[in-house]
Amino acid sequence: MIEVLYPEVCCLFGDKANARYLGLCLGEDRLATTHVTQTPRFASEDPHMVYLCSMSERSQERVIERLRPHRERLRTMIDDGVVFLLTGNAFEVFAASIEDDQGRTIEGLGLLDIQVKRHLPTRFNSLFLGQHAQTKIVGYTSRFTHSYGYDQTQGLFSVTQGLGMNPEVNYEGIQVNNLFATYLLGPLLIQNPLFTRYLLGVIDRDAPLSELPYEAELMQAYETRVQEFESGIDFVD
């Protein structure tokens, strides 16, 4: 079971397409949607994966409070190697704290030892080219925040071009056991079929897919995008 949390408020930048694609890969019957007024299924069941995606700053605070009663359960799941995919600003919910531009500090779930700083109304826009092991990663970010605290050994992607977790580091995202957190937005799994194949292998180690849905088309688009990103275009707005 793959639990998709709070799609009615976590719905920005097309990130929901990642859940739809996972449904194509693994079967729609394996997707379970939990709405913001409901108790998460992971509280009493054992999902193979939990997905949380981009949301507004106001929704972040609501999501934190909805998940706070389940913090220790989430911590156990992370320690036990359950797969989490957190895209856009979703992983900030798991942070120790979020400091807004007025100096107010919002207490996060404290599951990731990072501190987030908002810089409203400045938005940081960047195309992204990086690496996950030997796989090239492409995407983009558009955010009001930078994150601090983790070091490169826990970075998810190394940065070739574009913006990392903050302007001073050369890694983007965080990996803790099988928790994958990234600021990258939109249909990350569709844009990066090689990384998607890796992720699916973590979810279903005993039943790897022989071929991704629309794999030929996805690979053609991916290779074109990599070539364009490597050609020297402007990455940071």
Side-chain angles (χ1 to χ4, degrees), residues 132 150 153-156 173-181 198:
H132 179 264
Y150 267 102
T153 63
Q154 295 167 308
L156 177 58
I174 299 165
Q175 181 173 351
V176 178
N177 295 334
N178 289 328
L179 181 147
F180 303 92
Y198 164 80

Side-chain angles (χ1 to χ4, degrees), residues 127-131 135-140 157 184-185 187-193 221-227 229-230 235:
L127 298 176
F128 180 84
L129 175 65
Q131 292 272 144
T135 299
K136 294 177 181 177
I137 302 294
V138 292
Y140 67 96
F157 306 134
L184 298 186
L185 301 172
L188 174 70
L189 300 184
I190 296 172
Q191 292 178 335
N192 294 277
Y222 165 75
E223 290 167 357
T224 298
R225 189 171 288 110
V226 168
Q227 185 177 15
F229 281 22
E230 290 180 330
F235 274 81

Side-chain angles (χ1 to χ4, degrees), residues 12-125:
L12 302 183
F13 302 108
D15 290 21
K16 286 166 66 173
N18 293 312
R20 294 181 64 185
Y21 191 66
L22 286 171
L24 287 177
C25 293
L26 300 174
E28 294 290 341
D29 59 324
R30 291 189 62 181
L31 295 184
T33 298
T34 296
H35 296 288
V36 74
T37 57
Q38 297 175 320
T39 300
R41 292 180 61 162
F42 68 70
S44 57
E45 301 181 40
D46 295 316
H48 294 92
M49 175 180 170
V50 175
Y51 180 48
L52 187 66
C53 66
S54 298
M55 66 200 82
S56 70
E57 286 69 32
R58 180 175 295 180
S59 292
Q60 274 187 319
E61 296 188 46
R62 186 180 183 190
V63 169
I64 288 169
E65 293 313 310
R66 292 297 299 170
L67 291 178
R68 196 178 299 283
H70 310 289
R71 176 167 52 187
E72 293 310 311
R73 169 61 175 155
L74 287 165
R75 189 188 308 278
T76 298
M77 291 166 65
I78 294 169
D79 290 344
D80 288 347
V82 174
V83 178
F84 286 78
L85 179 61
L86 312 175
T87 57
N89 63 358
F91 76 86
E92 296 177 351
V93 168
F94 286 54
S97 63
I98 303 172
E99 182 181 329
D100 70 15
D101 56 311
Q102 304 299 317
R104 182 173 66 108
T105 298
I106 302 158
E107 182 184 356
L109 296 179
L111 299 170
L112 298 175
D113 189 19
I114 60 174
Q115 296 77 44
V116 178
K117 293 187 178 181
R118 288 183 188 158
H119 300 273
L120 286 166
T122 302
R123 183 179 288 276
F124 306 101
N125 300 314

